[in-house]
Amino acid sequence: MHSIAFAPREDLQGGLIDCSAGGFSRAMDVSVHSFIRMAKLAAPLMTDGGTMFAMSYHGAQKVVANYNVMGPVKAALEAACRYLAYELGEKRIRVHPISPGPLKTRAASGLKDFDLLLNEAASRAPIGELVDIDDVGFTCAYLATPYARRLTGQTTYVDGGVNIMG
């Protein structure tokens, strides 16, 4: 399970066009390449197959106001998951990018107007509720079982249906 993301505050707070090369590079290293490094270390230990997870967000696929540099970074993470799913599939290792709705986390607290994002997600969700960490855990638990043995590489949304809304 990979659930780490980072961008320097000054690069996260401004628009994407204002993100420094160093800040972008650091965000990619911490948020994407660390998953690739983790996969390289974990794969040899998974001699009977296994499942790897990386936490993404809807801002990887659609523009989310104030998500800024993290949108392209999470898009790269989802692409890395697809490529790792392809490369590790012959070893029976499945790779899942998970895209929860907005969750109250320490990392999310760095996003500008995060409370507005939470309120908007709750109002747009067809089920009318925000997801919580348990919802994400239940989804990962399912995907790690034989019931999901033929699934790999696809981004799984755990967002109450927000991603289907126009």
Side-chain angles (χ1 to χ4, degrees):
M1 168 68 73
H2 179 273
S3 186
I4 183 171
F6 176 81
R9 182 173 294 278
E10 58 275 9
D11 293 302
L12 185 60
Q13 295 287 325
L16 178 60
I17 201 165
D18 298 317
C19 183
S20 70
F24 188 84
S25 178
R26 186 149 184 224
M28 290 292 283
D29 182 57
V30 172
S31 307
V32 181
H33 198 259
S34 63
F35 179 61
I36 297 167
R37 292 190 303 269
M38 183 199 81
K40 185 174 184 170
L41 293 171
L45 304 174
M46 302 171 110
T47 57
D48 293 327
T51 310
M52 296 180 185
F53 299 98
M55 293 298 123
S56 187
Y57 179 63
H58 185 61
Q61 298 293 323
K62 302 287 183 180
V63 174
V64 174
N66 299 318
Y67 201 53
N68 307 332
V69 67
M70 292 311 296
V73 168
K74 290 296 189 175
L77 178 64
E78 289 185 12
C81 287
R82 289 188 295 272
Y83 277 84
L84 289 171
Y86 169 74
E87 291 178 19
L88 298 173
E90 66 185 22
K91 296 178 182 180
R92 295 182 303 124
I93 298 171
R94 296 173 290 128
V95 183
H96 297 285
I98 306 295
S99 184
L103 296 167
K104 292 181 184 180
T105 64
R106 186 171 177 219
S109 67
L111 296 174
K112 182 179 173 191
D113 296 328
F114 183 68
D115 288 338
L116 295 175
L117 188 67
L118 285 172
N119 292 337
E120 181 183 338
S123 68
R124 293 190 50 185
I127 64 168
E129 298 175 341
L130 291 173
V131 297
D132 61 31
I133 197 71
D134 287 338
D135 298 315
V136 177
F138 293 144
T139 301
C140 291
Y142 160 71
L143 289 170
T145 69
Y147 294 113
R149 70 183 181 263
R150 303 290 185 249
L151 302 177
T152 191
Q154 304 97 330
T155 300
T156 301
Y157 289 90
V158 185
D159 66 357
V162 173
N163 75 91
I164 67 170
M165 304 304 293

